[in-house]
Amino acid sequence: MTITRWDPARVDDDLVGLSRRLGKSRADQVILAEGNTSKRLSDGLIAVKASGASLANATHGDFVLIDPRLLMELVGSVSCTQEVISEALQVTAPESEGRRASIEAIIHAVVQTVHAVRYVAHTHPTDVVAVLSSPQAESAFVHPAYSDEAVVLGETLFVPYAQPGLELGRLFAARLAEYWGRLGRLPSLVLLQNHGIVAISDTVDGIESICGMAVKAARVRLGAYAAGGLVSLPEGSRSTYLERTEIAERRSQISGVAR
Ligand SMILES: [Zn+2]
């Protein structure tokens, strides 16, 4: 069963450009080889960043193609182990020079098997990880602190800490399926405790807006905690704001998949 392939010709400039911009130090999304991006291709395969490659210097050859459906079949089998997954993510063709999909490719595959979407990005922004490593981790982003946060991030999904790889992949799949079952849409932002974020959107602009707004929302919280505590937007005001036609349209444009 071939789950992973290498075909740089199928990796487009939009994915490479997005990856490089997220990798820039001023965005504070990742350092070194942290984080990964993916794009869904027309045949349902996803191009996802290879392990060890940096987002900041990503090239077309730094992505591998995986079949999300086959990967999730493997993840779902009771006999699956971390070693089995690691082997499945390895490209066997010699011209790939040993490239392997990031172990966090499971996160990208999970999203696609819940509902197809064009882009997924997973990063580790310093300020967001700070909040997600604090006693407020689970509750911090439940209620928005300001109106633009509500528009860009929508209703976030929190996933408790699990070891990256198979363990996180399975927990992430369960929590995302529960969110989908409850709301009938994908979240724009998933918060991974003691780890980072997952941004989900049909557009490059949407991914960058979500990642940037997640950093701002975290900084606002850190400032508010230092100033005595966070006072969120009043619930009634938030819901009526989001129901306004122009605001609902903007939210829809950012997510591409949700309102
Ligand atoms: Zn990560």
Side-chain angles (χ1 to χ4, degrees), residues 34-36 102-104 107 122-124 164 168 192 195-197:
E34 285 184 331
N36 28 78
S102 164
I103 192 64
E104 292 175 326
I107 287 172
H122 164 58
T123 65
H124 303 165
L168 173 59
L192 307 177
H195 186 162
I197 63 171

Side-chain angles (χ1 to χ4, degrees), residues 38-95:
S38 70
K39 182 171 188 176
R40 184 177 188 273
L41 307 179
S42 56
D43 57 3
L45 298 184
I46 56 174
V48 62
K49 197 204 75 168
S51 183
S54 81
L55 285 174
N57 303 311
T59 66
H60 296 71
D62 287 327
F63 292 82
V64 300
L65 308 186
I66 68 168
D67 185 323
R69 191 178 48 81
L70 292 180
L71 179 57
M72 290 314 296
E73 276 179 20
L74 198 58
V75 168
S77 77
V78 286
S79 59
C80 186
T81 63
Q82 187 62 53
E83 289 69 34
V84 169
I85 293 289
S86 297
E87 196 176 319
L89 294 176
Q90 178 75 51
V91 182
T92 52
E95 63 270 23

